[in-house]
Amino acid sequence: MKKSLFLILFTFFSLFLHAHGSTLNDHSQIKEMSSFRIMGEIDLRTEKDYSSTVKYRTLNHEGGMKVKVLEVLKEDEQNGQTGRWFYVLLTAPMWVDSGEWIEKYQKFLIFLPDDMPVFNFEE
């Protein structure tokens, strides 16, 4: 009985997580004010300068990094990967690889590789 109740709750929880927004693989659809969640490791620059030093690096965990796009910037290549630069607002707090807790509403310059899907995409 407990096992079947757990499976039912787990199934509903999984459906709930996937019901909000969609997965996007085509980054050309990302516009200003789009919001989404990024899973994976992303370099975060606090200065809006492509050559600035990386201040933080995200962790690849189930929560991901939740952002709202403030500006869509240039297409580029970084470390052999093509992608696009975005200036984003963090919309949920998160841990970074240094062990620091980053509060929401901070702005970051990020490079999003073309082959990295985004989740919970909303225009």
Side-chain angles (χ1 to χ4, degrees):
M1 178 69 174
K2 288 182 182 181
K3 186 175 181 180
S4 61
L5 181 60
F6 173 76
L7 289 173
I8 291 170
L9 289 174
F10 180 76
T11 302
F12 281 117
F13 181 72
S14 297
L15 291 173
F16 175 76
L17 286 177
H18 294 291
H20 297 289
S22 61
T23 301
L24 180 69
N25 291 306
D26 179 8
H27 297 167
S28 68
Q29 296 181 38
I30 298 173
K31 311 278 188 260
E32 288 183 11
M33 303 313 288
S34 294
S35 60
F36 51 86
R37 184 168 45 100
I38 305 168
M39 305 297 286
E41 297 175 355
I42 298 288
D43 291 337
L44 305 175
R45 291 169 169 79
T46 53
E47 296 177 40
K48 195 174 164 188
D49 176 2
Y50 305 114
S51 62
S52 65
T53 59
V54 174
K55 178 79 173 180
Y56 307 107
R57 185 168 179 86
T58 63
L59 296 171
N60 187 15
H61 60 79
E62 66 279 352
M65 180 174 78
K66 296 175 184 174
V67 299
K68 179 170 278 210
V69 176
L70 300 174
E71 288 183 58
V72 178
L73 302 168
K74 70 177 183 172
E75 292 182 29
D76 201 1
E77 185 175 319
Q78 291 287 308
N79 302 320
Q81 293 184 302
T82 59
R84 183 178 292 270
W85 290 95
F86 294 95
Y87 193 56
V88 299
L89 178 70
L90 188 65
T91 58
M94 66 178 185
W95 293 101
V96 292
D97 68 345
S98 64
E100 294 177 70
W101 179 251
I102 306 299
E103 292 293 337
K104 62 183 177 178
Y105 304 127
Q106 293 190 50
K107 297 174 185 175
F108 296 105
L109 178 67
I110 65 167
F111 178 78
L112 186 60
D114 288 337
D115 63 352
M116 182 175 283
V118 297
F119 302 91
N120 301 84
F121 177 75
E122 296 179 8
E123 288 188 66

